[in-house]
Amino acid sequence: MSHPPLKLVNCFFSDLQIKENKQFAPADDYWIVPTPDEDINFRVRIFHDSNDSNMRWRAGLLIESSDIDSDDDEVSLPYTIRVTAIGEFLIVDESKTTEETEELVAKVGGAMLYSSAREFLAIATSRMLHGSYFIPTVSFVNMKKTEPESDDD
């Protein structure tokens, strides 16, 4: 059996907000399937612990519904959500460069955190008015690195 390229050492949630959308009116055939492009946003931020060569990394994943701060009457989701998952990873393959490792943690680690947060949200919402809510499955394969916006304006 082969070893995975990275190991999840620890995972926790540093922020969790779930709020019922009072304007939400379910249809008779109530199945909510949000599209990743419109209703749910997510970002992955990578942190490297430089005290441990290239072996120990952290990633933070923020997931939020697009209408989290909206007072709009048009609500497409039963809940507004915001969750931050933090994962600590140990890199198994020491031959990877820092850039390769960063991409590995972002894509594979981000996917691990997303699936954990998805399950956590489904369980938490199962005891709420509109029942279990599953955020959509997404792929991290084509995720691209973006540079932070500067405040030079």
Side-chain angles (χ1 to χ4, degrees):
M1 175 170 42
S2 65
H3 292 285
L6 76 159
K7 292 181 182 179
L8 178 62
V9 177
N10 189 17
C11 175
F12 60 93
F13 299 97
S14 63
D15 181 27
L16 175 64
Q17 298 174 41
I18 306 171
K19 183 178 169 186
E20 174 195 347
N21 282 328
K22 299 203 183 313
Q23 299 94 339
F24 179 74
D28 290 336
D29 56 346
Y30 175 54
W31 285 99
I32 300 301
V33 182
T35 59
D37 296 340
E38 298 170 7
D39 297 328
I40 302 292
N41 303 308
F42 63 93
R43 295 190 301 268
V44 178
R45 184 165 179 211
I46 307 302
F47 310 94
H48 178 236
D49 186 353
S50 58
N51 296 336
D52 198 10
S53 67
N54 206 29
M55 304 304 292
R56 191 170 290 278
W57 288 71
R58 265 184 246 146
L61 172 70
L62 169 66
I63 304 168
E64 62 185 355
S65 57
S66 57
D67 54 0
I68 187 88
D69 295 319
S70 174
D71 291 328
D72 194 355
D73 288 341
E74 300 257 341
V75 176
S76 60
L77 301 175
Y79 309 106
T80 55
I81 59 167
R82 179 184 176 96
V83 61
T84 303
I86 307 294
E88 297 174 3
F89 301 92
L90 188 62
I91 305 304
V92 176
D93 185 355
E94 296 181 36
S95 67
K96 294 199 176 298
T97 66
T98 300
E99 291 78 21
E100 291 171 330
T101 302
E102 185 177 288
E103 183 177 3
L104 177 71
V105 172
K107 291 182 177 182
V108 177
M112 288 179 183
L113 293 175
Y114 190 90
S115 66
S116 180
R118 183 174 189 263
E119 184 67 19
F120 190 71
L121 286 167
I123 292 168
T125 56
S126 71
R127 302 294 292 168
M128 297 181 77
L129 178 64
H130 299 295
S132 285
Y133 175 67
F134 289 89
I135 59 177
T137 55
V138 295
S139 173
F140 285 68
V141 172
N142 296 321
M143 186 170 64
K144 303 286 186 218
K145 182 178 181 179
T146 59
E147 296 300 323
E149 295 178 13
S150 64
D151 297 331
D152 295 339
D153 295 334

